[in-house]
């Protein structure tokens, strides 16, 4: 079974802090994704990566950056956390290429609160 | 108008009832996904389909490409089916794996 893990289930940070969310997958998947989920808005794509060191902006990249130094690990970085970044963050992974439809495997999510 | 619309937003039913959740989309797609999210956050992929019908246990997913519409059916519903069901599409214009999601349907099955 594919396993996608996220570093924290719950996280509380202060406004202005730099926040790192980590995601690890164990199935050698080419693609990894970061989403945020908000009530009434559903899931929205922040960034995705289709290979090591390769990344592409999703629909709502503002205020976020990402890093993928190793194939199995994809980090989401909030450079200066703000209260409007309070949300549930979900990581996912999939086989590639990204122009072909594949099933995505999701992590358990990190509920981030910025105070 | 959202690219992916689900209905109903909330659905409550009694155990044993036949359940239908609908998804309409307005863009060209490579595939449509049905996902399940239980309380606590974890999301599981139920189906990925680009035509016709798929069945897994008591779950059936259908898609009509011409009408840009998909349905998720649950037969003999059970309280453990209580979850949020999410429809998502990926298409050739933005990338098959860059999914756009519906807002979800919250299903509650009472014993």
């Amino acid at each position: 079974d594919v396993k996608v893990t996220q570093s924290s289930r719950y996280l509380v940070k202060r406004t202005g802090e730099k926040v790192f969310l980590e995601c690890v997958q164990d199935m050698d998947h080419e693609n990894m994704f970061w989403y945020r989920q908000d009530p009434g808005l559903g899931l929205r794509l922040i960034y995705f990566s289709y290979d090591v060191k390769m990344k592409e902006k999703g629909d709502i990249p503002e205020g976020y950056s990402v890093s993928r130094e190793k194939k199995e690990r994809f980090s989401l970085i909030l450079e200066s956390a703000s209260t409007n970044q309070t949300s549930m963050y979900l990581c996912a992974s999939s086989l590639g290429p990204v122009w072909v439809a594949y099933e995505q495997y999701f992590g358990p999510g990190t509920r981030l609160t910025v105070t | 108008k959202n690219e992916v619309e689900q209905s109903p937003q909330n659905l409550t039913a009694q155990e044993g009832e036949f359940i239908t959740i609908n998804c309409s989309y307005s863009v060209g797609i490579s595939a449509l996904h049905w996902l399940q999210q239980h309380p606590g956050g974890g999301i599981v992929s139920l189906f990925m389909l680009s035509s016709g019908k798929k069945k897994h246990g008591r779950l059936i997913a259908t898609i009509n490409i011409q009408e840009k519409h998909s349905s998720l059916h649950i037969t003999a519903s059970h309280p453990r089916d209580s979850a949020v069901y999410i429809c998502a599409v990926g298409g050739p214009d933005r990338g098959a794996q860059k999914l756009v999601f519906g807002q979800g349907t919250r299903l509650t099955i009472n014993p």
Side-chain angles (χ1 to χ4, degrees):
Chain A
D1 274 357
V2 176
K3 191 163 184 185
V4 180
T5 57
Q6 296 183 228
S7 50
S8 306
R9 291 302 304 273
Y10 300 93
L11 207 52
V12 180
K13 295 292 182 180
R14 292 197 180 276
T15 301
E17 280 193 79
K18 190 168 186 175
V19 181
F20 293 86
L21 302 182
E22 304 284 339
C23 176
V24 177
Q25 51 94 4
D26 67 355
M27 282 300 290
D28 204 35
H29 282 175
E30 288 86 350
N31 309 305
M32 296 187 76
F33 306 82
W34 275 108
Y35 299 98
R36 64 177 284 177
Q37 185 179 32
D38 300 288
L41 295 175
L43 282 130
R44 293 176 292 167
L45 179 64
I46 304 171
Y47 265 99
F48 76 98
S49 169
Y50 50 92
D51 200 351
V52 175
K53 297 191 187 293
M54 306 304 287
K55 62 186 178 186
E56 194 169 313
K57 292 180 181 178
D59 298 309
I60 50 163
E62 296 78 19
Y64 304 94
S65 62
V66 290
S67 173
R68 193 167 180 202
E69 297 296 318
K70 293 185 177 181
K71 191 174 186 179
E72 68 271 18
R73 188 179 298 269
F74 192 35
S75 302
L76 180 69
I77 304 154
L78 287 65
E79 296 290 342
S80 178
S82 64
T83 55
N84 63 13
Q85 293 178 309
T86 292
S87 186
M88 170 72 93
Y89 289 87
L90 290 140
C91 175
S93 72
S94 71
L95 292 167
V98 291
W99 57 86
V100 177
Y102 282 92
E103 182 180 359
Q104 293 189 14
Y105 296 84
F106 287 81
T110 296
R111 189 167 294 282
L112 172 67
T113 302
V114 182
T115 62
Chain B
K1 188 178 188 303
N2 291 335
E3 292 176 311
V4 181
E5 297 272 1
Q6 288 185 235
S7 62
Q9 289 189 23
N10 293 283
L11 179 57
T12 299
Q14 292 298 122
E15 183 173 356
E17 286 189 40
F18 182 82
I19 303 299
T20 296
I21 299 170
N22 296 298
C23 176
S24 296
Y25 54 92
S26 57
V27 296
I29 68 166
S30 302
L32 182 142
H33 303 250
W34 281 104
L35 310 167
Q36 181 191 56
Q37 185 174 32
H38 279 287
I43 293 176
V44 175
S45 177
L46 298 175
F47 296 104
M48 185 181 74
L49 66 166
S50 55
S51 65
K53 175 178 169 179
K54 287 192 175 180
K55 184 175 189 289
H56 186 256
R58 294 179 295 106
L59 274 59
I60 303 164
T62 64
I63 189 167
N64 184 319
I65 298 295
Q66 287 73 29
E67 295 186 3
K68 295 188 174 179
H69 181 269
S70 176
S71 294
L72 177 68
H73 304 287
I74 306 175
T75 62
S77 59
H78 190 276
R80 65 175 174 265
D81 297 325
S82 298
V84 176
Y85 293 84
I86 301 168
C87 170
V89 301
D93 292 338
R94 59 179 265 135
Q97 296 203 42
K98 291 178 69 176
L99 301 181
V100 178
F101 297 80
Q103 293 189 11
T105 295
R106 185 175 300 276
L107 174 66
T108 303
I109 304 295
N110 293 319

